[in-house]
Amino acid sequence: MERRTGIIAALDTTNALNIAREIREYVDAFKVNYPLVLSEGISVVKELSSYGPVIADFKIADVPHISAMIAEIAFENGAKAVITHGFTGSDSVKAVLDVASRYNGEVYVVTELSSAGGQEFMTGVAERIVEMARNLGCHGLIAPATRPERIRKLRELAGNMQILSPGVGAQGGKAAEAIRAGADFVIVGRSIYEGNAVENARLLAEQLKEVI
Ligand code: NUP
């Protein structure tokens, strides 16, 4: 993913298209998740693509042939990247990567969720997930802005992979702190789209200029 502002907008809102059009100059990419795609249809990915690269956050976590089918649908509809889980093991992640390579697409692997529950099981295996993602040639990782010390640790093991970091604002994480800890991008949803999205995105971009 090419970095200009370091911000990826998570558009978990039915007003996604309007917001994307308004904030595109302040963000590097848009991220869509199930709430939007299940309510608006997969065509929203293509529609959003006209405003910038779209990351399909389907947190793919299935047996390899189904994981591949999900990735195929995302890329076929214009996604530039997909987010997959890593705890499924290497066969499923590899299946997603194989699809991505046919579309010149990117694959980002979840290490541990940014929520408190992410620590219950996932923190314990996150380092191994990073190692697997790196060995397979994945493009990057998803790591929690709510726990910058974990970003720092995972960054050490990540090699050339990029780190995208959700959990900023509404979940308590701080954007600049996540970048300083080693994230390449922050993923921000509610703190942008709730309230005045343009102003929120502009201020965040301004704030990040100092650390990017
Ligand atoms: O660990 C993760 N935490 C997280 O919040 C992995 C994610 N993919 N996300 C996603 O980032 C989440 O699904 C949502 O789309 C976005 C965060 O939204 P917000 O808390 O900034 O509103």
Side-chain angles (χ1 to χ4, degrees):
M1 198 71 57
E2 230 171 282
R3 185 166 86 165
R4 188 171 48 86
T5 65
I7 302 170
I8 295 168
L11 298 172
D12 302 318
T13 162
T14 47
N15 198 21
L17 282 167
N18 284 332
I19 291 179
R21 184 167 16 79
E22 289 172 358
I23 66 171
R24 61 186 148 169
E25 66 182 286
Y26 304 118
V27 305
D28 289 329
F30 303 107
K31 187 183 80 62
V32 300
N33 201 338
Y34 288 113
L36 181 68
V37 169
L38 293 178
S39 57
E40 302 289 311
I42 189 72
S43 60
V44 74
V45 174
K46 200 158 277 165
E47 287 161 4
L48 279 170
S49 300
S50 62
Y51 302 125
V54 177
I55 303 171
D57 184 5
F58 295 155
K59 295 190 186 67
I60 304 172
D62 216 308
V63 291
H65 76 287
I66 301 295
S67 292
M69 284 164 74
I70 296 168
E72 186 90 40
I73 291 168
F75 288 120
E76 228 170 40
N77 282 279
K80 164 80 181 151
V82 297
I83 294 177
T84 183
H85 267 300
F87 64 72
T88 51
S90 54
D91 55 358
S92 180
V93 178
K94 170 103 176 35
V96 171
L97 265 173
D98 287 345
V99 175
S101 70
R102 285 196 276 105
Y103 289 89
N104 208 11
E106 298 176 354
V107 177
Y108 294 86
V109 181
V110 179
T111 56
E112 55 186 82
L113 286 175
S114 54
S115 44
Q119 295 176 283
E120 289 176 23
F121 301 106
M122 299 182 82
T123 299
V125 293
E127 275 91 338
R128 287 174 62 198
I129 289 174
V130 174
E131 192 187 338
M132 174 198 65
R134 187 176 167 176
N135 288 338
L136 288 174
C138 292
H139 302 81
L141 304 168
I142 309 296
T146 47
R147 298 188 289 279
E149 74 284 1
R150 292 297 296 155
I151 299 179
R152 209 164 277 120
K153 178 74 205 164
L154 300 178
R155 174 80 272 167
E156 283 171 18
L157 311 170
N160 290 332
M161 288 188 290
Q162 289 187 322
I163 294 183
L164 321 188
S165 194
V168 165
Q171 295 182 43
K174 295 200 168 50
E177 214 175 301
I179 300 283
R180 277 197 214 100
D184 298 282
F185 296 85
V186 286
I187 294 174
V188 187
R190 288 165 289 177
S191 298
I192 289 181
Y193 66 74
E194 285 182 355
N196 185 335
V198 177
E199 197 51 16
N200 293 340
R202 192 185 66 75
L203 284 173
L204 184 59
E206 193 60 39
Q207 181 198 327
L208 284 184
K209 265 186 194 159
E210 286 166 29
V211 286
I212 276 177

